Amino acid sequence: DAGVIQSPRHEVTEMGQEVTLRCKPISGHDYLFWYRQTMMRGLELLIYFNNNVPIDDSGMPEDRFSAKMPNASFSTLKIQPSEPRDSAVYFCASSPDTYTEAFFGQGTRLTVV
Amino acid sequence: AQSVTQLGSHVSVSEGALVLLRCNYSSSVPPYLFWYVQYPNQGLQLLLKYTSAATLVKGINGFEAEFKKSETSFHLTKPSAHMSDAAEYFCAVSAVNRDDKIIFGKGTRLHILP
């Protein structure tokens, strides 16, 4: 397996634009996590899914953020409209369950100007 | 609910010296504990994990950690630091209950001095 695949690796967008981040988890993993990493706040869990169903979205900062998992092999994190304070590295991770290791993607570095 | 605290956001050690990164956890049920490492511009990767077997856990790159229930600690150590160990290290905790999410600490950046 190629591991967790995220795209794009880098995204630069203007304030107010819609941004969509994509993630392909490892095949067979039932759990998918979206994290945001910044210098100020560290690694924050935004939302996680179990079998494509959102379980906990309490970390999603605002209604401008939304996440979907239409099938077991694909998830998106959307920000609409984007703001400069959304600039961060966004990680997707997948796991067979919540008590063994999570496998992380390489991340998407988002810059909103 | 679980939580994890990493003491020290930055730690500096000389090359060849002992590395000690501290992690304390809180959990109402038997925990699973993890250490992850993040190199620059990369995602997190697992160093080692404790899942209720041996209390001394050995990981990759010469790292090990000891689970001490009485101290609620899971400190990460390496006898001799190498320049390539410079990275950010995250302690994490989860539990056996389904849908208990993995909780990460805020991370400790390890600097290796020549």
PDB file of all heavy atoms in Angstrom, chain B residues 11 13-22 35 37 39 47-48 56-66 75-86 89 110 112:
ATOM      1  N   VAL B  11      13.775  20.852  23.824  1.00  0.00           N
ATOM      2  CA  VAL B  11      14.826  20.192  24.595  1.00  0.00           C
ATOM      3  C   VAL B  11      16.089  20.174  23.746  1.00  0.00           C
ATOM      4  O   VAL B  11      16.029  19.819  22.559  1.00  0.00           O
ATOM      5  CB  VAL B  11      14.414  18.756  24.977  1.00  0.00           C
ATOM      6  CG1 VAL B  11      15.600  18.000  25.562  1.00  0.00           C
ATOM      7  CG2 VAL B  11      13.255  18.765  25.965  1.00  0.00           C
ATOM      8  N   VAL B  13      20.070  18.721  23.593  1.00  0.00           N
ATOM      9  CA  VAL B  13      21.080  17.819  24.146  1.00  0.00           C
ATOM     10  C   VAL B  13      22.280  17.810  23.214  1.00  0.00           C
ATOM     11  O   VAL B  13      22.156  18.056  22.015  1.00  0.00           O
ATOM     12  CB  VAL B  13      20.542  16.381  24.336  1.00  0.00           C
ATOM     13  CG1 VAL B  13      19.351  16.362  25.262  1.00  0.00           C
ATOM     14  CG2 VAL B  13      20.210  15.755  23.005  1.00  0.00           C
ATOM     15  N   SER B  14      23.424  17.499  23.760  1.00  0.00           N
ATOM     16  CA  SER B  14      24.632  17.384  22.945  1.00  0.00           C
ATOM     17  C   SER B  14      24.660  16.044  22.239  1.00  0.00           C
ATOM     18  O   SER B  14      24.118  15.047  22.732  1.00  0.00           O
ATOM     19  CB  SER B  14      25.874  17.527  23.815  1.00  0.00           C
ATOM     20  OG  SER B  14      25.916  18.803  24.421  1.00  0.00           O
ATOM     21  N   GLU B  15      25.280  16.024  21.081  1.00  0.00           N
ATOM     22  CA  GLU B  15      25.435  14.764  20.351  1.00  0.00           C
ATOM     23  C   GLU B  15      26.168  13.774  21.247  1.00  0.00           C
ATOM     24  O   GLU B  15      27.188  14.098  21.867  1.00  0.00           O
ATOM     25  CB  GLU B  15      26.215  15.013  19.063  1.00  0.00           C
ATOM     26  CG  GLU B  15      26.224  13.820  18.129  1.00  0.00           C
ATOM     27  CD  GLU B  15      26.888  14.132  16.793  1.00  0.00           C
ATOM     28  OE1 GLU B  15      27.626  15.144  16.721  1.00  0.00           O
ATOM     29  OE2 GLU B  15      26.657  13.392  15.823  1.00  0.00           O
ATOM     30  N   GLY B  16      25.608  12.560  21.333  1.00  0.00           N
ATOM     31  CA  GLY B  16      26.207  11.531  22.178  1.00  0.00           C
ATOM     32  C   GLY B  16      25.644  11.480  23.589  1.00  0.00           C
ATOM     33  O   GLY B  16      25.891  10.522  24.320  1.00  0.00           O
ATOM     34  N   ALA B  17      24.893  12.485  23.977  1.00  0.00           N
ATOM     35  CA  ALA B  17      24.322  12.531  25.320  1.00  0.00           C
ATOM     36  C   ALA B  17      22.981  11.813  25.360  1.00  0.00           C
ATOM     37  O   ALA B  17      22.375  11.504  24.331  1.00  0.00           O
ATOM     38  CB  ALA B  17      24.160  13.980  25.777  1.00  0.00           C
ATOM     39  N   LEU B  18      22.520  11.568  26.581  1.00  0.00           N
ATOM     40  CA  LEU B  18      21.228  10.912  26.795  1.00  0.00           C
ATOM     41  C   LEU B  18      20.093  11.837  26.359  1.00  0.00           C
ATOM     42  O   LEU B  18      20.082  13.027  26.666  1.00  0.00           O
ATOM     43  CB  LEU B  18      21.068  10.567  28.270  1.00  0.00           C
ATOM     44  CG  LEU B  18      19.694  10.071  28.713  1.00  0.00           C
ATOM     45  CD1 LEU B  18      19.452   8.658  28.197  1.00  0.00           C
ATOM     46  CD2 LEU B  18      19.574  10.125  30.233  1.00  0.00           C
ATOM     47  N   VAL B  19      19.122  11.244  25.682  1.00  0.00           N
ATOM     48  CA  VAL B  19      17.904  11.958  25.338  1.00  0.00           C
ATOM     49  C   VAL B  19      16.797  11.504  26.288  1.00  0.00           C
ATOM     50  O   VAL B  19      16.589  10.295  26.477  1.00  0.00           O
ATOM     51  CB  VAL B  19      17.457  11.664  23.885  1.00  0.00           C
ATOM     52  CG1 VAL B  19      16.117  12.328  23.590  1.00  0.00           C
ATOM     53  CG2 VAL B  19      18.508  12.131  22.893  1.00  0.00           C
ATOM     54  N   LEU B  20      16.100  12.459  26.883  1.00  0.00           N
ATOM     55  CA  LEU B  20      14.959  12.167  27.748  1.00  0.00           C
ATOM     56  C   LEU B  20      13.851  13.158  27.427  1.00  0.00           C
ATOM     57  O   LEU B  20      13.994  14.358  27.649  1.00  0.00           O
ATOM     58  CB  LEU B  20      15.338  12.272  29.219  1.00  0.00           C
ATOM     59  CG  LEU B  20      14.179  12.200  30.233  1.00  0.00           C
ATOM     60  CD1 LEU B  20      13.452  10.870  30.133  1.00  0.00           C
ATOM     61  CD2 LEU B  20      14.685  12.435  31.650  1.00  0.00           C
ATOM     62  N   LEU B  21      12.758  12.645  26.891  1.00  0.00           N
ATOM     63  CA  LEU B  21      11.587  13.473  26.610  1.00  0.00           C
ATOM     64  C   LEU B  21      10.451  12.966  27.491  1.00  0.00           C
ATOM     65  O   LEU B  21      10.137  11.777  27.487  1.00  0.00           O
ATOM     66  CB  LEU B  21      11.204  13.389  25.129  1.00  0.00           C
ATOM     67  CG  LEU B  21      12.288  13.749  24.127  1.00  0.00           C
ATOM     68  CD1 LEU B  21      11.749  13.668  22.704  1.00  0.00           C
ATOM     69  CD2 LEU B  21      12.872  15.117  24.403  1.00  0.00           C
ATOM     70  N   ARG B  22       9.834  13.904  28.199  1.00  0.00           N
ATOM     71  CA  ARG B  22       8.871  13.516  29.226  1.00  0.00           C
ATOM     72  C   ARG B  22       7.426  13.573  28.749  1.00  0.00           C
ATOM     73  O   ARG B  22       7.039  14.503  28.022  1.00  0.00           O
ATOM     74  CB  ARG B  22       9.037  14.410  30.452  1.00  0.00           C
ATOM     75  CG  ARG B  22      10.412  14.336  31.094  1.00  0.00           C
ATOM     76  CD  ARG B  22      10.545  15.298  32.261  1.00  0.00           C
ATOM     77  NE  ARG B  22      11.912  15.348  32.771  1.00  0.00           N
ATOM     78  CZ  ARG B  22      12.400  14.507  33.651  1.00  0.00           C
ATOM     79  NH1 ARG B  22      11.625  13.547  34.165  1.00  0.00           N
ATOM     80  NH2 ARG B  22      13.653  14.615  34.064  1.00  0.00           N
ATOM     81  N   TRP B  35       4.530   7.094  20.974  1.00  0.00           N
ATOM     82  CA  TRP B  35       5.415   8.197  20.636  1.00  0.00           C
ATOM     83  C   TRP B  35       5.541   8.237  19.117  1.00  0.00           C
ATOM     84  O   TRP B  35       5.805   7.205  18.479  1.00  0.00           O
ATOM     85  CB  TRP B  35       6.799   8.024  21.258  1.00  0.00           C
ATOM     86  CG  TRP B  35       6.908   8.513  22.664  1.00  0.00           C
ATOM     87  CD1 TRP B  35       6.863   7.766  23.816  1.00  0.00           C
ATOM     88  CD2 TRP B  35       7.100   9.865  23.092  1.00  0.00           C
ATOM     89  NE1 TRP B  35       7.001   8.572  24.911  1.00  0.00           N
ATOM     90  CE2 TRP B  35       7.150   9.867  24.506  1.00  0.00           C
ATOM     91  CE3 TRP B  35       7.236  11.087  22.430  1.00  0.00           C
ATOM     92  CZ2 TRP B  35       7.337  11.033  25.265  1.00  0.00           C
ATOM     93  CZ3 TRP B  35       7.415  12.237  23.164  1.00  0.00           C
ATOM     94  CH2 TRP B  35       7.466  12.212  24.572  1.00  0.00           C
ATOM     95  N   VAL B  37       7.266  10.625  15.794  1.00  0.00           N
ATOM     96  CA  VAL B  37       8.296  11.593  15.440  1.00  0.00           C
ATOM     97  C   VAL B  37       7.896  12.281  14.139  1.00  0.00           C
ATOM     98  O   VAL B  37       7.284  11.659  13.254  1.00  0.00           O
ATOM     99  CB  VAL B  37       9.682  10.922  15.292  1.00  0.00           C
ATOM    100  CG1 VAL B  37       9.698   9.872  14.197  1.00  0.00           C
ATOM    101  CG2 VAL B  37      10.769  11.962  15.029  1.00  0.00           C
ATOM    102  N   TYR B  39       9.691  14.658  11.264  1.00  0.00           N
ATOM    103  CA  TYR B  39      10.828  15.354  10.668  1.00  0.00           C
ATOM    104  C   TYR B  39      10.306  16.532   9.841  1.00  0.00           C
ATOM    105  O   TYR B  39       9.130  16.548   9.455  1.00  0.00           O
ATOM    106  CB  TYR B  39      11.650  14.392   9.819  1.00  0.00           C
ATOM    107  CG  TYR B  39      12.250  13.265  10.632  1.00  0.00           C
ATOM    108  CD1 TYR B  39      11.701  11.979  10.585  1.00  0.00           C
ATOM    109  CD2 TYR B  39      13.335  13.480  11.468  1.00  0.00           C
ATOM    110  CE1 TYR B  39      12.220  10.953  11.345  1.00  0.00           C
ATOM    111  CE2 TYR B  39      13.861  12.457  12.234  1.00  0.00           C
ATOM    112  CZ  TYR B  39      13.293  11.203  12.166  1.00  0.00           C
ATOM    113  OH  TYR B  39      13.811  10.181  12.927  1.00  0.00           O
ATOM    114  N   LEU B  47       7.086   5.910  16.419  1.00  0.00           N
ATOM    115  CA  LEU B  47       8.363   5.471  16.973  1.00  0.00           C
ATOM    116  C   LEU B  47       8.187   4.170  17.754  1.00  0.00           C
ATOM    117  O   LEU B  47       8.968   3.230  17.603  1.00  0.00           O
ATOM    118  CB  LEU B  47       8.904   6.522  17.943  1.00  0.00           C
ATOM    119  CG  LEU B  47       9.917   7.551  17.470  1.00  0.00           C
ATOM    120  CD1 LEU B  47      10.332   8.420  18.652  1.00  0.00           C
ATOM    121  CD2 LEU B  47      11.127   6.888  16.843  1.00  0.00           C
ATOM    122  N   LEU B  48       7.191   4.173  18.619  1.00  0.00           N
ATOM    123  CA  LEU B  48       6.919   3.000  19.444  1.00  0.00           C
ATOM    124  C   LEU B  48       5.541   3.124  20.069  1.00  0.00           C
ATOM    125  O   LEU B  48       4.949   4.202  20.068  1.00  0.00           O
ATOM    126  CB  LEU B  48       7.994   2.835  20.529  1.00  0.00           C
ATOM    127  CG  LEU B  48       8.321   4.037  21.412  1.00  0.00           C
ATOM    128  CD1 LEU B  48       7.323   4.239  22.531  1.00  0.00           C
ATOM    129  CD2 LEU B  48       9.737   3.907  21.995  1.00  0.00           C
ATOM    130  N   LEU B  56       8.464  -1.962  29.247  1.00  0.00           N
ATOM    131  CA  LEU B  56       9.565  -1.307  28.546  1.00  0.00           C
ATOM    132  C   LEU B  56       9.410  -1.613  27.065  1.00  0.00           C
ATOM    133  O   LEU B  56       9.464  -2.771  26.660  1.00  0.00           O
ATOM    134  CB  LEU B  56      10.917  -1.803  29.066  1.00  0.00           C
ATOM    135  CG  LEU B  56      12.148  -1.159  28.422  1.00  0.00           C
ATOM    136  CD1 LEU B  56      12.173   0.348  28.712  1.00  0.00           C
ATOM    137  CD2 LEU B  56      13.427  -1.821  28.929  1.00  0.00           C
ATOM    138  N   VAL B  57       9.232  -0.575  26.299  1.00  0.00           N
ATOM    139  CA  VAL B  57       8.948  -0.735  24.882  1.00  0.00           C
ATOM    140  C   VAL B  57      10.122  -0.207  24.066  1.00  0.00           C
ATOM    141  O   VAL B  57      10.580   0.915  24.292  1.00  0.00           O
ATOM    142  CB  VAL B  57       7.671   0.048  24.494  1.00  0.00           C
ATOM    143  CG1 VAL B  57       7.347  -0.167  23.024  1.00  0.00           C
ATOM    144  CG2 VAL B  57       6.498  -0.384  25.366  1.00  0.00           C
ATOM    145  N   LYS B  58      10.566  -1.012  23.149  1.00  0.00           N
ATOM    146  CA  LYS B  58      11.654  -0.574  22.262  1.00  0.00           C
ATOM    147  C   LYS B  58      11.087  -0.181  20.911  1.00  0.00           C
ATOM    148  O   LYS B  58      10.194  -0.846  20.384  1.00  0.00           O
ATOM    149  CB  LYS B  58      12.681  -1.694  22.111  1.00  0.00           C
ATOM    150  CG  LYS B  58      13.400  -2.025  23.417  1.00  0.00           C
ATOM    151  CD  LYS B  58      14.520  -3.008  23.204  1.00  0.00           C
ATOM    152  CE  LYS B  58      15.161  -3.391  24.548  1.00  0.00           C
ATOM    153  NZ  LYS B  58      15.791  -2.211  25.207  1.00  0.00           N
ATOM    154  N   GLY B  59      11.626   0.904  20.368  1.00  0.00           N
ATOM    155  CA  GLY B  59      11.152   1.390  19.093  1.00  0.00           C
ATOM    156  C   GLY B  59      12.260   1.474  18.066  1.00  0.00           C
ATOM    157  O   GLY B  59      13.324   0.887  18.230  1.00  0.00           O
ATOM    158  N   ILE B  60      11.990   2.242  17.034  1.00  0.00           N
ATOM    159  CA  ILE B  60      12.969   2.386  15.965  1.00  0.00           C
ATOM    160  C   ILE B  60      14.044   3.398  16.357  1.00  0.00           C
ATOM    161  O   ILE B  60      13.854   4.200  17.277  1.00  0.00           O
ATOM    162  CB  ILE B  60      12.295   2.818  14.653  1.00  0.00           C
ATOM    163  CG1 ILE B  60      11.595   4.179  14.822  1.00  0.00           C
ATOM    164  CG2 ILE B  60      11.293   1.762  14.200  1.00  0.00           C
ATOM    165  CD1 ILE B  60      11.063   4.754  13.512  1.00  0.00           C
ATOM    166  N   ASN B  61      15.162   3.340  15.660  1.00  0.00           N
ATOM    167  CA  ASN B  61      16.252   4.308  15.823  1.00  0.00           C
ATOM    168  C   ASN B  61      16.834   4.352  17.228  1.00  0.00           C
ATOM    169  O   ASN B  61      17.377   5.375  17.641  1.00  0.00           O
ATOM    170  CB  ASN B  61      15.797   5.725  15.414  1.00  0.00           C
ATOM    171  CG  ASN B  61      15.313   5.788  13.984  1.00  0.00           C
ATOM    172  OD1 ASN B  61      15.689   4.975  13.142  1.00  0.00           O
ATOM    173  ND2 ASN B  61      14.461   6.756  13.679  1.00  0.00           N
ATOM    174  N   GLY B  62      16.734   3.255  17.972  1.00  0.00           N
ATOM    175  CA  GLY B  62      17.357   3.182  19.288  1.00  0.00           C
ATOM    176  C   GLY B  62      16.560   3.803  20.415  1.00  0.00           C
ATOM    177  O   GLY B  62      17.046   3.888  21.547  1.00  0.00           O
ATOM    178  N   PHE B  63      15.354   4.254  20.160  1.00  0.00           N
ATOM    179  CA  PHE B  63      14.518   4.841  21.199  1.00  0.00           C
ATOM    180  C   PHE B  63      13.780   3.767  21.991  1.00  0.00           C
ATOM    181  O   PHE B  63      13.474   2.704  21.465  1.00  0.00           O
ATOM    182  CB  PHE B  63      13.484   5.798  20.584  1.00  0.00           C
ATOM    183  CG  PHE B  63      14.070   7.122  20.162  1.00  0.00           C
ATOM    184  CD1 PHE B  63      14.513   7.313  18.866  1.00  0.00           C
ATOM    185  CD2 PHE B  63      14.171   8.164  21.068  1.00  0.00           C
ATOM    186  CE1 PHE B  63      15.065   8.533  18.470  1.00  0.00           C
ATOM    187  CE2 PHE B  63      14.709   9.388  20.692  1.00  0.00           C
ATOM    188  CZ  PHE B  63      15.154   9.569  19.389  1.00  0.00           C
ATOM    189  N   GLU B  64      13.502   4.066  23.232  1.00  0.00           N
ATOM    190  CA  GLU B  64      12.675   3.212  24.058  1.00  0.00           C
ATOM    191  C   GLU B  64      11.894   4.072  25.047  1.00  0.00           C
ATOM    192  O   GLU B  64      12.234   5.231  25.275  1.00  0.00           O
ATOM    193  CB  GLU B  64      13.483   2.141  24.780  1.00  0.00           C
ATOM    194  CG  GLU B  64      14.512   2.656  25.756  1.00  0.00           C
ATOM    195  CD  GLU B  64      15.306   1.512  26.386  1.00  0.00           C
ATOM    196  OE1 GLU B  64      15.593   0.515  25.688  1.00  0.00           O
ATOM    197  OE2 GLU B  64      15.615   1.622  27.580  1.00  0.00           O
ATOM    198  N   ALA B  65      10.839   3.488  25.583  1.00  0.00           N
ATOM    199  CA  ALA B  65      10.008   4.199  26.556  1.00  0.00           C
ATOM    200  C   ALA B  65       9.517   3.203  27.594  1.00  0.00           C
ATOM    201  O   ALA B  65       9.305   2.020  27.284  1.00  0.00           O
ATOM    202  CB  ALA B  65       8.822   4.877  25.872  1.00  0.00           C
ATOM    203  N   GLU B  66       9.338   3.682  28.795  1.00  0.00           N
ATOM    204  CA  GLU B  66       8.896   2.817  29.878  1.00  0.00           C
ATOM    205  C   GLU B  66       7.562   3.298  30.418  1.00  0.00           C
ATOM    206  O   GLU B  66       7.414   4.468  30.783  1.00  0.00           O
ATOM    207  CB  GLU B  66       9.918   2.774  31.002  1.00  0.00           C
ATOM    208  CG  GLU B  66       9.551   1.757  32.092  1.00  0.00           C
ATOM    209  CD  GLU B  66      10.649   1.563  33.118  1.00  0.00           C
ATOM    210  OE1 GLU B  66      11.642   2.326  33.078  1.00  0.00           O
ATOM    211  OE2 GLU B  66      10.506   0.663  33.952  1.00  0.00           O
ATOM    212  N   HIS B  75       7.890   8.179  29.507  1.00  0.00           N
ATOM    213  CA  HIS B  75       8.993   9.002  29.022  1.00  0.00           C
ATOM    214  C   HIS B  75       9.775   8.286  27.923  1.00  0.00           C
ATOM    215  O   HIS B  75       9.990   7.072  27.984  1.00  0.00           O
ATOM    216  CB  HIS B  75       9.937   9.360  30.167  1.00  0.00           C
ATOM    217  CG  HIS B  75       9.269  10.108  31.291  1.00  0.00           C
ATOM    218  ND1 HIS B  75       8.175  10.926  31.107  1.00  0.00           N
ATOM    219  CD2 HIS B  75       9.556  10.126  32.624  1.00  0.00           C
ATOM    220  CE1 HIS B  75       7.805  11.434  32.265  1.00  0.00           C
ATOM    221  NE2 HIS B  75       8.626  10.970  33.202  1.00  0.00           N
ATOM    222  N   LEU B  76      10.255   9.046  26.985  1.00  0.00           N
ATOM    223  CA  LEU B  76      11.017   8.521  25.845  1.00  0.00           C
ATOM    224  C   LEU B  76      12.506   8.756  26.088  1.00  0.00           C
ATOM    225  O   LEU B  76      12.901   9.863  26.470  1.00  0.00           O
ATOM    226  CB  LEU B  76      10.584   9.236  24.565  1.00  0.00           C
ATOM    227  CG  LEU B  76      11.244   8.796  23.269  1.00  0.00           C
ATOM    228  CD1 LEU B  76      10.775   7.395  22.868  1.00  0.00           C
ATOM    229  CD2 LEU B  76      10.943   9.788  22.147  1.00  0.00           C
ATOM    230  N   THR B  77      13.317   7.733  25.859  1.00  0.00           N
ATOM    231  CA  THR B  77      14.750   7.879  26.068  1.00  0.00           C
ATOM    232  C   THR B  77      15.540   7.272  24.916  1.00  0.00           C
ATOM    233  O   THR B  77      15.042   6.412  24.177  1.00  0.00           O
ATOM    234  CB  THR B  77      15.210   7.196  27.382  1.00  0.00           C
ATOM    235  OG1 THR B  77      14.897   5.796  27.310  1.00  0.00           O
ATOM    236  CG2 THR B  77      14.543   7.805  28.589  1.00  0.00           C
ATOM    237  N   LYS B  78      16.765   7.759  24.801  1.00  0.00           N
ATOM    238  CA  LYS B  78      17.743   7.186  23.881  1.00  0.00           C
ATOM    239  C   LYS B  78      19.106   7.415  24.516  1.00  0.00           C
ATOM    240  O   LYS B  78      19.419   8.530  24.928  1.00  0.00           O
ATOM    241  CB  LYS B  78      17.668   7.836  22.503  1.00  0.00           C
ATOM    242  CG  LYS B  78      18.650   7.229  21.499  1.00  0.00           C
ATOM    243  CD  LYS B  78      18.459   7.802  20.106  1.00  0.00           C
ATOM    244  CE  LYS B  78      19.455   7.183  19.127  1.00  0.00           C
ATOM    245  NZ  LYS B  78      19.276   7.658  17.739  1.00  0.00           N
ATOM    246  N   PRO B  79      19.926   6.384  24.621  1.00  0.00           N
ATOM    247  CA  PRO B  79      21.188   6.515  25.365  1.00  0.00           C
ATOM    248  C   PRO B  79      22.154   7.538  24.769  1.00  0.00           C
ATOM    249  O   PRO B  79      22.836   8.248  25.509  1.00  0.00           O
ATOM    250  CB  PRO B  79      21.785   5.107  25.294  1.00  0.00           C
ATOM    251  CG  PRO B  79      20.643   4.204  24.999  1.00  0.00           C
ATOM    252  CD  PRO B  79      19.692   5.005  24.177  1.00  0.00           C
ATOM    253  N   SER B  80      22.195   7.632  23.457  1.00  0.00           N
ATOM    254  CA  SER B  80      23.187   8.479  22.816  1.00  0.00           C
ATOM    255  C   SER B  80      22.559   9.210  21.630  1.00  0.00           C
ATOM    256  O   SER B  80      22.177   8.578  20.644  1.00  0.00           O
ATOM    257  CB  SER B  80      24.374   7.628  22.348  1.00  0.00           C
ATOM    258  OG  SER B  80      25.321   8.416  21.677  1.00  0.00           O
ATOM    259  N   ALA B  81      22.451  10.517  21.732  1.00  0.00           N
ATOM    260  CA  ALA B  81      21.787  11.299  20.691  1.00  0.00           C
ATOM    261  C   ALA B  81      22.641  11.391  19.433  1.00  0.00           C
ATOM    262  O   ALA B  81      23.878  11.490  19.490  1.00  0.00           O
ATOM    263  CB  ALA B  81      21.488  12.704  21.211  1.00  0.00           C
ATOM    264  N   HIS B  82      21.940  11.389  18.318  1.00  0.00           N
ATOM    265  CA  HIS B  82      22.598  11.558  17.021  1.00  0.00           C
ATOM    266  C   HIS B  82      22.000  12.781  16.346  1.00  0.00           C
ATOM    267  O   HIS B  82      20.836  13.129  16.588  1.00  0.00           O
ATOM    268  CB  HIS B  82      22.364  10.303  16.165  1.00  0.00           C
ATOM    269  CG  HIS B  82      23.202  10.248  14.933  1.00  0.00           C
ATOM    270  ND1 HIS B  82      22.822  10.820  13.737  1.00  0.00           N
ATOM    271  CD2 HIS B  82      24.423   9.695  14.713  1.00  0.00           C
ATOM    272  CE1 HIS B  82      23.758  10.627  12.841  1.00  0.00           C
ATOM    273  NE2 HIS B  82      24.736   9.947  13.395  1.00  0.00           N
ATOM    274  N   MET B  83      22.779  13.432  15.512  1.00  0.00           N
ATOM    275  CA  MET B  83      22.292  14.638  14.839  1.00  0.00           C
ATOM    276  C   MET B  83      20.977  14.381  14.099  1.00  0.00           C
ATOM    277  O   MET B  83      20.104  15.252  14.029  1.00  0.00           O
ATOM    278  CB  MET B  83      23.330  15.185  13.866  1.00  0.00           C
ATOM    279  CG  MET B  83      24.620  15.665  14.511  1.00  0.00           C
ATOM    280  SD  MET B  83      24.348  17.016  15.681  1.00  0.00           S
ATOM    281  CE  MET B  83      23.932  18.343  14.573  1.00  0.00           C
ATOM    282  N   SER B  84      20.827  13.188  13.568  1.00  0.00           N
ATOM    283  CA  SER B  84      19.622  12.858  12.803  1.00  0.00           C
ATOM    284  C   SER B  84      18.377  12.729  13.676  1.00  0.00           C
ATOM    285  O   SER B  84      17.265  12.592  13.150  1.00  0.00           O
ATOM    286  CB  SER B  84      19.828  11.566  12.026  1.00  0.00           C
ATOM    287  OG  SER B  84      20.090  10.498  12.917  1.00  0.00           O
ATOM    288  N   ASP B  85      18.550  12.767  14.995  1.00  0.00           N
ATOM    289  CA  ASP B  85      17.394  12.690  15.897  1.00  0.00           C
ATOM    290  C   ASP B  85      16.672  14.031  16.045  1.00  0.00           C
ATOM    291  O   ASP B  85      15.608  14.096  16.667  1.00  0.00           O
ATOM    292  CB  ASP B  85      17.834  12.206  17.282  1.00  0.00           C
ATOM    293  CG  ASP B  85      18.350  10.787  17.267  1.00  0.00           C
ATOM    294  OD1 ASP B  85      17.855   9.969  16.462  1.00  0.00           O
ATOM    295  OD2 ASP B  85      19.278  10.492  18.055  1.00  0.00           O
ATOM    296  N   ALA B  86      17.250  15.072  15.509  1.00  0.00           N
ATOM    297  CA  ALA B  86      16.618  16.389  15.606  1.00  0.00           C
ATOM    298  C   ALA B  86      15.283  16.360  14.877  1.00  0.00           C
ATOM    299  O   ALA B  86      15.216  16.104  13.661  1.00  0.00           O
ATOM    300  CB  ALA B  86      17.528  17.453  15.002  1.00  0.00           C
ATOM    301  N   TYR B  89       8.766  15.556  18.556  1.00  0.00           N
ATOM    302  CA  TYR B  89       8.283  14.296  19.089  1.00  0.00           C
ATOM    303  C   TYR B  89       6.949  14.516  19.793  1.00  0.00           C
ATOM    304  O   TYR B  89       6.786  15.459  20.582  1.00  0.00           O
ATOM    305  CB  TYR B  89       9.306  13.705  20.060  1.00  0.00           C
ATOM    306  CG  TYR B  89      10.585  13.276  19.368  1.00  0.00           C
ATOM    307  CD1 TYR B  89      11.561  14.210  19.017  1.00  0.00           C
ATOM    308  CD2 TYR B  89      10.804  11.946  19.019  1.00  0.00           C
ATOM    309  CE1 TYR B  89      12.709  13.832  18.353  1.00  0.00           C
ATOM    310  CE2 TYR B  89      11.951  11.555  18.356  1.00  0.00           C
ATOM    311  CZ  TYR B  89      12.901  12.507  18.026  1.00  0.00           C
ATOM    312  OH  TYR B  89      14.038  12.121  17.358  1.00  0.00           O
ATOM    313  N   LEU B 110      13.181  18.503  19.636  1.00  0.00           N
ATOM    314  CA  LEU B 110      14.501  18.078  20.110  1.00  0.00           C
ATOM    315  C   LEU B 110      15.589  18.690  19.240  1.00  0.00           C
ATOM    316  O   LEU B 110      15.588  18.505  18.021  1.00  0.00           O
ATOM    317  CB  LEU B 110      14.598  16.553  20.084  1.00  0.00           C
ATOM    318  CG  LEU B 110      15.940  15.936  20.481  1.00  0.00           C
ATOM    319  CD1 LEU B 110      16.272  16.250  21.938  1.00  0.00           C
ATOM    320  CD2 LEU B 110      15.932  14.429  20.260  1.00  0.00           C
ATOM    321  N   ILE B 112      19.733  18.942  18.650  1.00  0.00           N
ATOM    322  CA  ILE B 112      20.972  18.227  18.936  1.00  0.00           C
ATOM    323  C   ILE B 112      22.138  19.189  18.715  1.00  0.00           C
ATOM    324  O   ILE B 112      22.313  19.717  17.607  1.00  0.00           O
ATOM    325  CB  ILE B 112      21.141  16.984  18.047  1.00  0.00           C
ATOM    326  CG1 ILE B 112      19.878  16.122  18.098  1.00  0.00           C
ATOM    327  CG2 ILE B 112      22.376  16.193  18.478  1.00  0.00           C
ATOM    328  CD1 ILE B 112      19.544  15.553  19.455  1.00  0.00           C
TER     329      ILE B 112
END
